[in-house]
Amino acid sequence: MPYLPGRTLKNEAELRALPEVQSALHHISEGGFTEAVIRMLILLADSRGEVRRDRLERASAVLTQDEPFRSLSTDERRQIIDEQTLVVQFEREAAIQTLPDLLKTSEDRKLAAEVAQFVPRSIEEMSPNTLEMLQRFRHVLKLPPISGDITKDPLAGRGFGTLLGATHVPSAAE
């Protein structure tokens, strides 16, 4: 690989010190349903190491066709995905442990867990890592363990107003 002047690889400490990383980590406990579901989907994808096409299509449909995500502009959605990706990359365990801070009501917690489980869909086809991550979500959100497949989009046909924690809380970077 040719050397490019002015371009060096940064180590993790240098990356962690970047303003956008610091901002994301500073706001790890802030947000609502939107941030939580996006964070959960990133954690799931990260736990698998790869994403099957059908799962990617379901995740994409949820994030673009279902409320509260459909009401986000492309830039807002990208900003939330970028911020939550940094949170997962630099503070994976805290990203999981702070999910209850984002999902205040039992209804939002249950719905977010169902949306996260809908993307991989069939328990039988899940990798052990995916199933373990979904069970961790349910545990940290104080929900019962997974008991069956979720084959229907839990957000389909729901209005934006039915989600109490659906409002996006802008980060300091916005």
Side-chain angles (χ1 to χ4, degrees), residues 49-163:
E50 63 179 42
V51 181
R52 289 183 6 198
R53 182 184 178 125
D54 62 326
R55 293 177 182 179
L56 186 60
E57 288 170 354
R58 276 193 295 279
S60 177
V62 166
L63 295 178
T64 58
Q65 298 170 17
D66 292 343
E67 290 295 357
F69 308 102
R70 182 175 62 210
S71 295
L72 297 172
S73 71
T74 302
D75 286 342
E76 288 171 320
R77 187 174 14 263
R78 181 196 45 76
Q79 188 273 330
I80 295 169
I81 291 169
D82 289 350
E83 185 173 79
Q84 297 307 314
T85 298
L86 291 173
V87 165
V88 169
Q89 182 178 352
F90 287 94
E91 289 292 342
R92 180 181 179 81
E93 189 57 33
I96 297 166
Q97 295 301 320
T98 55
L99 285 171
D101 297 338
L102 306 180
L103 298 164
K104 307 258 189 255
T105 69
S106 59
E107 179 187 350
D108 280 355
R109 290 175 181 195
K110 181 178 183 289
L111 186 58
E114 288 174 357
V115 171
Q117 186 181 338
F118 167 72
V119 171
R121 201 178 250 169
S122 170
I123 296 170
E124 186 178 288
E125 294 180 13
M126 288 181 199
S127 73
N129 291 344
T130 297
L131 186 56
E132 180 184 336
M133 184 59 67
L134 288 168
Q135 295 288 27
R136 285 200 67 204
F137 294 158
R138 295 185 75 80
H139 176 75
V140 80
L141 295 172
K142 298 185 179 1
L143 296 170
I146 292 172
S147 61
D149 293 340
I150 296 182
T151 58
K152 182 176 180 267
D153 182 350
L155 293 176
R158 281 184 166 262
F160 183 78
T162 62
L163 299 171

Side-chain angles (χ1 to χ4, degrees), residues 30-39 80 84 102 167-169:
E30 297 175 15
F33 184 86
T34 302
E35 290 79 5
V37 169
I38 288 173
R39 183 182 298 176
I80 295 169
Q84 297 307 314
L102 306 180
T167 331
H168 168 66
V169 176

